[in-house]
Structures are given as C-alpha cells and as structure tokens.
Amino acid sequence: TLTVDWGMNSGAVGVTASNACGNSGTKTRLVNVTCRNSSSILPTAEVVAYPNPVSTELTVEMNTLSAGNYSLTMTDLTGRVMLQQAIAATEGRNDSKLDVSTYAKGVYLLTVKSETGFTKQIRVTVQ
C-alpha cells in the first residue's frame, strides 16, 4: 500500500522496490484528479487573515516551513475575481496587506494556493 498526499493536479506516480538483491522494474500509474476539494491546511504553511470582519485593510499572514511561491485570490460569492496576487514567500512569517475599502459589504472567499496545488480558503466578511 502506498499513500500519497497528491495535491490538485493530475500526473503519474512511479514506484521502484529496492532490497538487498537489487531494484525491481518501475511500475507507473497515471492519476487523474477530478475532485477539487481544498485542504483546510496547506502542508507547508499556516495561513490566517485578520481582522475578520474587516472594513479597510486585511492582513494575510503566512507562516511557511520553507520558501515557495503562492497565489492569493479574492472572489465574491458569485465567483467574480476581485483580486489576484502572487506571493514569493520566504521561510517564516510573510504578511500581505490587502485594501478592501472599495469592496461592497458582504462575504468573500480568500484562496491561497501553493505551487504544488494545495489550497486554503478563508471566508472574509467586509463590513
């Protein structure tokens, strides 16, 4: 049995057994990811957004285990993209400030996505 924490992109997994007698041939399986459920935790980062509810400036704080690239997207509940931003995170704490003062009052979805395809969604209320 092999358990792989895969992410959100399709691809191939290859496995080669190894012991004192040598290596086996590689067995490859294609993996087609059709489910787009997001994890509540990014494997390499902890993400929080505050204050929530917010009226002017939202702080998105990411504490990462290692440097990496992330994308940040804010959408309204109809799916309209309000903001997209790339984040080149360093190891440790990374803060981004988002100006939401021009947004209509309501609920928005903040999505942070790692370069490996894992996502974290946070509901943000603008008041």
Side-chain angles (χ1 to χ4, degrees):
T1 300
L2 174 68
T3 302
V4 178
D5 194 351
W6 188 266
M8 301 197 43
N9 299 315
S10 298
V13 174
V15 176
T16 304
S18 179
N19 64 21
C21 296
N23 295 333
S24 71
T26 299
K27 183 72 171 181
T28 302
R29 294 280 186 207
L30 295 178
V31 177
N32 185 20
V33 178
T34 56
C35 181
R36 296 293 183 197
N37 289 336
S38 65
S39 172
S40 62
I41 298 174
L42 291 169
T44 59
E46 179 183 310
V47 181
V48 294
Y50 58 88
N52 193 5
V54 62
S55 58
T56 56
E57 185 177 75
L58 181 70
T59 299
V60 179
E61 180 183 309
M62 290 182 18
N63 289 304
T64 61
L65 298 176
S66 59
N69 295 311
Y70 296 83
S71 65
L72 189 145
T73 306
M74 180 82 85
T75 59
D76 65 13
L77 292 181
T78 67
R80 181 173 52 134
V81 175
M82 306 298 292
L83 172 130
Q84 281 189 315
Q85 180 178 323
I87 299 172
T90 58
E91 181 179 343
R93 184 176 170 165
N94 298 268
D95 287 350
S96 296
K97 306 286 186 183
L98 307 180
D99 180 8
V100 298
S101 62
T102 61
Y103 291 19
K105 292 180 181 181
V107 177
Y108 295 83
L109 292 177
L110 173 68
T111 303
V112 178
K113 184 176 180 180
S114 71
E115 59 194 339
T116 55
F118 286 94
T119 62
K120 163 101 183 205
Q121 282 191 330
I122 300 171
R123 289 185 186 267
V124 175
T125 302
V126 174
Q127 59 181 9

